[in-house]
Amino acid sequence: MKRLRWSALKRHIALPLAIVAAVLVIAALVQVRGMKDQGTYEIAHLYGDPSVMKGINISGAIQDANHRTSFMWRHDQNQVDTKTEVFDNQQKDRVYRYFRGMFHPINDYYYYVNEFKDLGFFVDRGTIIDGNWKGLDSINLDITVKPLVKKDNNVVRLYVDRNNGLTETKGDIYFTLASTSEYKGINGIYKLNFDQREEETAPIMTFSLDNTTEEDGARTAVLGLESVNDALALLLVKDDKLVIEGYRTDGAKLGEVVVAPFLFQHINAELADDASLARYEVTYEAYSQEETGVLSLSFNSNQSHRTIVTLQRSEEGLQLVDITEIDKEDELLRERSYNEFGERFITYRDGRLYYVGVFHEFLDKEGNALDPMSPIRILLHVYEQGNIVYTGELITDINDDLLRVSPYDLSNYNYDRAEYRNVYDLYIH
């Protein structure tokens, strides 16, 4: 019998293998498309009267590399509307979710604040392509803020996130320099115009940090800048108080809100005269809602305590409308912070605070490397005058993904956000 040469044999083998591969790809695609409408989306009323949901809708999306299911939890029916999109090609680009120190997304661009010795502060604008940052342009700001001279020439550490100084209103970008109380000088609010970046950017208003020496009693720190409708909210810490000053985009003041005592780690915690007072993290979360003119600011002291301060934009300016203290009873039912596994939205309406978020059932109080693979729950909490009045849950089969990585085993730690589903874009309407 004549023996085939290896080159000829490869050609004979290649065709059947190509056919098998094509069949497998088609079968996988058929399976993906066939399963797209088989997800489970149900509402469970866990506590209280669901009538507090009247007029409230909650939207969001669950996505992996192959699908994106948009959902709407409607107040007028005990069901969830869904719509699933199947991608023609696997989405290898990860959905970008901001967390401390990363590029700050605003509309179609990403921003980052840099400081260079003897050159000043720069706000860079760019985009992210295939997971990589691509710079487009930059604005240099002459802000006369610098650290205090400390005893023994100790280095002043920056605990705040300077990207928190960026916000957008009516299509324009505004910036203030976030800093702790260990900085001195004249700060301001700047309107950034990247189309005229060669021109000097003048502030719409300026303010003094009131810090001259390390021993001074008067201390001012800048947490960040936020916006709601056409108003800017400048977040300051003065002595033992949280001070939120409102400004129009021309620099005119719109009043201020003062909450005291309000103590932050690395800023004013030493001013506490009561050991039981909460010490909040310097980072915070802001949730702005244009349709109602509400800005909710969430401050964490630890995983089990959160304080939410809500402001309302009115003709008189920014006004304080609610402060809600939240203490979680279950320490193992926890949220992730601003990173790839965390998603939440908070707003205030008609005398109630609505708070929807993704919670993980942690393995232990100390935390574990496998926590991202723990079961996920999408929970809504409603508070009235500081008391919880309703808890609801959106039941989905998202946790079925986790079966492939159970039991918990570090040797199989291969969690990939592109392969497993996660929750994005939660919003309360």
Side-chain angles (χ1 to χ4, degrees), residues 279-325:
R279 274 77 165 169
Y280 296 93
E281 299 170 3
V282 176
T283 55
Y284 66 91
E285 300 164 16
Y287 303 91
S288 180
Q289 198 156 49
E290 293 290 316
E291 57 266 36
T292 58
V294 163
L295 174 66
S296 292
L297 304 167
S298 176
F299 302 91
N300 282 4
S301 62
N302 53 54
Q303 278 288 350
S304 62
H305 180 78
R306 182 188 293 264
T307 297
I308 300 170
V309 178
T310 299
L311 312 174
Q312 176 83 50
R313 172 69 168 107
S314 67
E315 293 182 359
E316 292 76 25
L318 288 182
Q319 297 180 328
L320 178 68
V321 294
D322 183 68
I323 298 178
T324 296
E325 303 274 350

Side-chain angles (χ1 to χ4, degrees), residues 19-214:
I19 293 173
V20 171
V23 170
L24 291 176
V25 169
I26 293 172
L29 185 59
V30 169
Q31 183 184 29
V32 165
R33 292 187 179 276
M35 293 176 61
K36 76 180 185 69
D37 295 319
Q38 293 181 9
T40 299
Y41 293 86
E42 299 175 351
I43 297 173
H45 304 299
L46 305 181
Y47 172 79
D49 185 355
S51 66
V52 298
M53 284 286 291
K54 184 178 180 180
I56 298 296
N57 298 321
I58 299 172
S59 63
I62 295 176
Q63 179 175 331
D64 62 11
N66 298 304
H67 315 77
R68 178 180 175 89
T69 299
S70 300
F71 62 82
M72 179 69 76
W73 174 350
R74 297 189 180 278
H75 70 92
D76 56 353
Q77 52 187 326
N78 197 33
Q79 66 181 44
V80 182
D81 296 337
T82 63
K83 180 179 179 181
T84 299
E85 174 189 4
V86 178
F87 305 133
D88 292 333
N89 300 298
Q90 267 206 346
Q91 302 296 298
K92 295 182 179 180
D93 293 347
R94 296 186 172 187
V95 176
Y96 186 87
R97 184 129 57 189
Y98 176 77
F99 61 100
R100 178 182 170 87
M102 298 297 289
F103 304 107
H104 188 62
I106 300 178
N107 295 335
D108 297 328
Y109 295 102
Y110 297 84
Y111 297 82
Y112 194 80
V113 181
N114 277 304
E115 178 184 4
F116 296 99
K117 188 176 181 180
D118 302 326
L119 294 177
F121 299 94
F122 290 80
V123 179
D124 299 327
R125 182 175 73 168
T127 186
I128 294 179
I129 301 174
D130 296 331
N132 299 312
W133 159 267
K134 180 182 179 181
L136 298 176
D137 35 39
S138 182
I139 290 180
N140 180 214
L141 297 173
D142 183 19
I143 306 176
T144 57
V145 170
K146 57 184 179 180
L148 297 171
V149 177
K150 299 196 68 176
K151 293 180 180 178
D152 304 322
N153 294 320
N154 291 332
V155 177
V156 173
R157 295 187 62 186
L158 183 65
Y159 293 96
V160 296
D161 185 353
R162 282 185 169 156
N163 291 335
N164 282 347
L166 288 160
T167 193
E168 179 266 342
T169 181
K170 302 302 180 183
D172 294 318
I173 304 298
Y174 293 85
F175 173 75
T176 193
L177 185 66
S179 64
T180 64
S181 55
E182 295 177 331
Y183 284 72
K184 64 179 180 178
I186 302 299
N187 202 344
I189 298 177
Y190 296 79
K191 179 181 178 180
L192 306 183
N193 189 339
F194 286 89
D195 295 328
Q196 300 176 359
R197 59 185 181 276
E198 300 301 328
E199 300 180 9
E200 182 178 351
T201 302
I204 64 170
M205 58 80 66
T206 61
F207 60 96
S208 172
L209 295 181
D210 298 325
N211 307 323
T212 55
T213 66
E214 189 180 5

